[in-house]
Amino acid sequence: MEQEYGEIGIWSEVKLDIIKEYAAAYTRIMRAQQRDRIPSLYWIYVDAYAGPGYHLSKTSGELIEGSPLVALNTTPPFDEYHFIDADSSRADHLRDLVRNRSDVSVYSDDCNKVLIEKVFPRADYKKYRRALCLLDPYNIDLKWEVIEAAGKSRSIEIFVNLMIM
């Protein structure tokens, strides 16, 4: 099972807890803005290095939810979800988990290309479409153009985690 899901350490588990709290706060704020001021407000969750959906905890040995499942279980929910992983087997595992959901797209390709060409254009500022984008690269293959495109959109909030070890 370790090979299938990959082991994560305590710092990754803490990061998942932070993402869980942040995503819930984000959607509560968006829901309040939609209710009180902008009825057409729409929000998107984007995970550029999504993984297979689950991980094996090095600490407990248990299977734990990865960031895609954290996002999918956020209340209130996002309006749509985009999960990207360049590893086709990880993307296939994730597709199996979400196959019956019409609000979820899973991509198996280079996130730099998918984000700029397919996903970021969906967060259209003028149409009140916003996005929360998690950028948590396994290695240093994230291109600056992606961060620049998110910033220029004025509608994408990015959460970047850069590994130092």
Side-chain angles (χ1 to χ4, degrees):
M1 188 171 307
E2 176 184 334
Q3 185 77 325
E4 190 174 322
Y5 294 112
E7 275 190 322
I8 62 169
I10 189 68
W11 289 114
S12 292
E13 291 184 48
V14 169
K15 175 188 63 186
L16 289 168
D17 286 339
I18 292 168
I19 293 166
K20 182 184 239 176
E21 289 182 37
Y22 196 89
Y26 182 90
T27 59
R28 281 193 308 270
I29 290 166
M30 297 303 271
R31 177 68 50 90
Q33 291 292 313
Q34 182 187 51
R35 180 188 61 239
D36 298 341
R37 296 182 39 223
I38 311 167
S40 61
L41 189 60
Y42 185 92
W43 50 97
I44 303 164
Y45 182 85
V46 182
D47 191 335
Y49 299 86
Y54 285 100
H55 301 289
L56 192 61
S57 169
K58 286 182 184 177
T59 307
S60 68
E62 295 177 14
L63 205 56
I64 60 172
E65 292 181 342
S67 54
L69 294 179
V70 166
L72 290 167
N73 292 323
T74 297
T75 302
F78 288 84
D79 291 307
E80 67 183 66
Y81 305 83
H82 296 269
F83 302 120
I84 309 162
D85 201 294
D87 182 296
S88 60
S89 65
R90 288 191 296 247
D92 288 342
H93 277 283
L94 193 50
R95 277 188 196 95
D96 287 342
L97 291 172
V98 300
R99 70 176 150 252
N100 296 325
R101 297 203 44 169
S102 61
D103 58 342
V104 178
S105 297
V106 179
Y107 310 86
S108 179
D109 204 347
D110 177 5
C111 74
N112 295 292
K113 178 181 174 186
V114 173
L115 289 170
I116 290 174
E117 293 177 6
K118 296 179 181 177
V119 179
F120 285 177
R122 300 190 56 72
D124 187 325
Y125 179 80
K126 291 179 183 176
K127 293 180 180 177
Y128 297 102
R129 295 173 67 94
R130 306 297 185 255
L132 174 59
C133 179
L134 175 61
L135 300 173
D136 185 15
Y138 307 123
N139 50 32
I140 307 298
D141 61 353
L142 178 63
K143 294 184 179 173
W144 176 253
E145 291 84 3
V146 170
I147 295 171
E148 183 179 30
K152 285 182 177 179
S153 75
R154 302 181 314 167
S155 59
I156 301 168
E157 186 169 325
I158 58 173
F159 190 105
V160 181
N161 182 50
L162 300 174
M163 292 188 295
I164 59 170
M165 298 166 61

